[in-house]
Amino acid sequence: MPVLAALWPVLAGLAAASGQAPWGLWWLAFAGYLVGIGYIARSGHPFRAGLLFGMAHFALALVWIVEPFLIDPEATAWLAPVALVGVSVGFGLFWAVAGWVGVRWLDGAVGVAVALGLVELLRSYVLSGFPWALPGHVLIDTGALPAASLVGAHGLGIAVLLGAGLIATGRIAGVGAGAALWALPFAVGASLPPAPEGAGPVLRLVQPNAPQHLKWDPDWRGVFFRRGLEETAAAPEGAPPVAVVWPETALPEVLDYADDLRPILADAAGGVPFLIGVQRYGPQGHPRNSVALLESASGEIAAVHDKHRLVPFGEFLPAQGLFDLAGIGPLATRLAGTFAPGDGPALLDVPGVGPVLPLICYEAIFPQDIARVARPRAILHLTNDAWFGRRFGPQQHLALARLRAAESGLPVLRAANTGISASIDARGTVRASLPLQVSGHLDAAVPLALPPTPYLATGDWAALLLLSLLAACCLLVSRRIGVVRLPVRP
């Protein structure tokens, strides 16, 4: 593959990634998928072309992955480029396989699009899954977002990918069908009724804005705690809040040893329930990332929910046996974290609000957990996005919270340490928010929910079935016209 020719899949991958937050250039992403899929289909080296396409896409879309390694640069900055190259190549290999399968077995451009849809589904579930920077995510900040209530992110992704594959065939019928498929999510989104008018009780979302490199510094922990208390006790401008919410790991002491702090929190809240992100020790002594519900008057612990989806290499070490065999198990474990997972999603019954589904940080990227519990009044997302830097990561995390609201028809109330704290309605629209890197509070009335959505009933099974049927059709067509052949020589 000539060097200049290799630029096409790279440029296409960068364009495809530009549809992700914070850029939101969905129209450029459409063009990127069109060029990338078309190039792979016509390339004599579809595996290599798919790899370049995917690597470029993930290098830009997930560039924030370097941020956690820059919190303590003297110790871990050297790992930042390793992490970015690792995720770019690792996830790029999914797209490389899709390119090879699409050209070798599934009849060219349409087959490449279908194969990309299948590997993105696989990437969302294999080894605990990482459904971030999916093709369908380029439509989050558009009028097509409400259509996620019917088909989810992978359904939106099918429209993006298959539309590009059909147009890339160059046939008149294919171009027309592809353009119609691109337009379909927008038409569906516009046809759906808006989120219900009105709102419920007011929650106070506190954003203390504690930079990660100072968050646990003994000289600064008290500063951030007092800042949160001041925001908690501030006089309301409208209806008084019925509960206060602090973000993930906001308590500056392990919950087991915070008996003196809990009454202070209760006093600042003025007698209303208090939800706060904490760290605690579980029954076997393993640390847990949790949310605690404190009683309104005394600050006694009324309920605790433990995070059950832990961040790989951030809170636990996956496949530890492989690292032990390599002789770096203890080092890898120390860098990755040793948190223990909770039992799974569960509701918290907050007095004055009702049942809410708490999601802690990373848990908000997984849509399937919402259907595993009884329908709550709202989703409560506690997160510490200071790990993700000041630009790309927090914006993408907020976008995924908006997607969860649209998929489920449930409002999302989001308390984030450094931002972006927000109130999101049942169609995924941000009704109010606090910007990044500011301290403050947001008094947000809980938006009303919609009825349970079709996507909650089907999950990603509908997308998997459709993609499987499309793959079977492509395979039959390719065999009928004799496309299946020996691999092209280098």
Side-chain angles (χ1 to χ4, degrees):
M1 179 185 295
V3 174
L4 291 178
L7 286 176
W8 282 108
V10 171
L11 293 174
L14 296 175
S18 71
Q20 304 289 333
W23 310 285
L25 303 176
W26 59 269
W27 48 271
L28 184 56
F30 279 13
Y33 282 111
L34 171 59
V35 172
I37 289 172
Y39 184 89
I40 293 170
R42 292 168 177 78
S43 171
H45 307 275
F47 185 91
R48 189 187 309 172
L51 179 61
L52 292 172
F53 184 35
M55 284 178 60
H57 171 268
F58 289 111
L60 179 57
L62 302 180
V63 66
W64 53 265
I65 202 75
V66 305
E67 297 287 352
F69 301 99
L70 303 180
I71 301 298
D72 183 7
E74 292 185 2
T76 58
W78 64 275
L79 287 169
V82 176
L84 185 58
V85 171
V87 298
S88 302
V89 174
F91 294 147
L93 285 171
F94 282 83
W95 289 25
V97 171
W100 185 85
V101 170
V103 172
R104 177 71 174 83
W105 294 99
L106 300 181
D107 193 23
V110 173
V112 171
V114 171
L116 278 172
L118 285 168
V119 298
E120 285 297 87
L121 254 174
L122 180 65
R123 184 170 70 85
S124 299
Y125 287 91
V126 69
L127 297 178
S128 80
F130 189 65
W132 198 303
L134 299 173
H137 290 171
V138 305
L139 295 177
I140 290 176
D141 199 26
T142 74
L145 177 58
S149 64
L150 305 179
V151 295
H154 290 288
L156 297 180
I158 291 173
V160 174
L161 295 170
L162 191 57
L166 287 165
I167 295 174
T169 63
R171 306 184 186 100
I172 294 177
V175 172
L181 199 53
W182 273 353
L184 182 60
F186 293 90
V188 171
S191 71
L192 294 173
E197 294 295 330
V202 174
L203 296 184
R204 172 161 291 185
L205 309 174
V206 174
Q207 182 170 301
N209 191 33
Q212 192 60 41
H213 69 288
L214 297 175
K215 181 175 170 64
W216 301 112
D217 188 313
D219 295 331
W220 281 93
R221 286 192 299 175
V223 173
F224 301 133
F225 185 64
R226 288 190 295 272
R227 183 184 295 173
L229 292 175
E230 291 171 0
E231 297 296 342
T232 299
E237 295 182 1
V242 301
V244 176
V245 185
W246 280 26
E248 177 190 19
T249 62
L251 190 67
E253 180 59 87
V254 176
L255 182 63
D256 308 68
Y257 310 125
D259 292 349
D260 56 335
L261 297 182
R262 290 188 279 103
I264 297 175
L265 293 170
D267 182 63
V272 301
F274 204 109
L275 293 110
I276 183 170
V278 301
Q279 297 180 86
R280 73 183 193 98
Y281 291 109
Q284 286 76 42
H286 294 294
R288 301 202 178 204
N289 188 348
S290 311
V291 54
L293 172 62
L294 307 183
E295 291 183 352
S296 55
S298 62
E300 290 298 316
I301 301 170
V304 175
H305 170 71
D306 298 321
K307 182 179 181 181
H308 68 282
R309 287 193 181 271
L310 302 179
V311 180
F313 302 103
E315 292 174 316
F316 82 104
L317 181 66
Q320 182 166 355
L322 297 178
F323 292 92
D324 290 339
L325 287 174
I328 58 171
L331 173 62
T333 300
R334 182 172 63 84
L335 292 174
T338 57
F339 281 83
D343 296 328
L347 301 183
L348 287 178
D349 192 5
V350 181
V353 180
V356 299
L357 173 63
L359 300 177
I360 302 175
C361 190
Y362 183 69
E363 292 179 328
I365 76 172
F366 298 96
Q368 59 267 34
D369 291 337
I370 301 173
R372 294 173 58 189
V373 297
R375 190 161 180 80
R377 181 166 191 170
I379 296 171
L380 195 61
H381 185 204
L382 285 70
T383 186
N384 175 25
D385 288 359
W387 284 107
F388 296 162
R390 302 181 180 183
R391 295 176 294 277
F392 313 117
Q395 297 279 1
Q396 291 179 14
H397 208 194
L398 173 66
L400 293 178
R402 294 180 60 192
L403 181 61
R404 297 294 84 81
E407 289 169 338
S408 64
L410 291 168
V412 175
L413 283 302
R414 191 170 193 266
N417 169 25
T418 54
I420 303 167
S421 300
S423 169
I424 304 168
D425 70 22
R427 287 297 186 202
T429 300
V430 177
R431 289 194 173 183
S433 65
L434 290 174
L436 280 166
Q437 306 299 307
V438 301
S439 59
H441 67 270
L442 181 66
D443 286 347
V446 180
L448 299 182
L450 287 162
T453 61
Y455 176 71
L456 275 187
T458 64
D460 291 326
W461 287 105
L464 176 60
L465 177 61
L466 177 56
L467 286 168
S468 299
L469 290 173
L470 289 171
C473 291
C474 288
L475 182 61
L476 290 174
V477 169
S478 68
R479 287 185 176 277
R480 180 173 58 82
I481 65 175
V483 169
V484 177
R485 56 190 180 273
L486 293 174
V488 177
R489 290 183 179 179

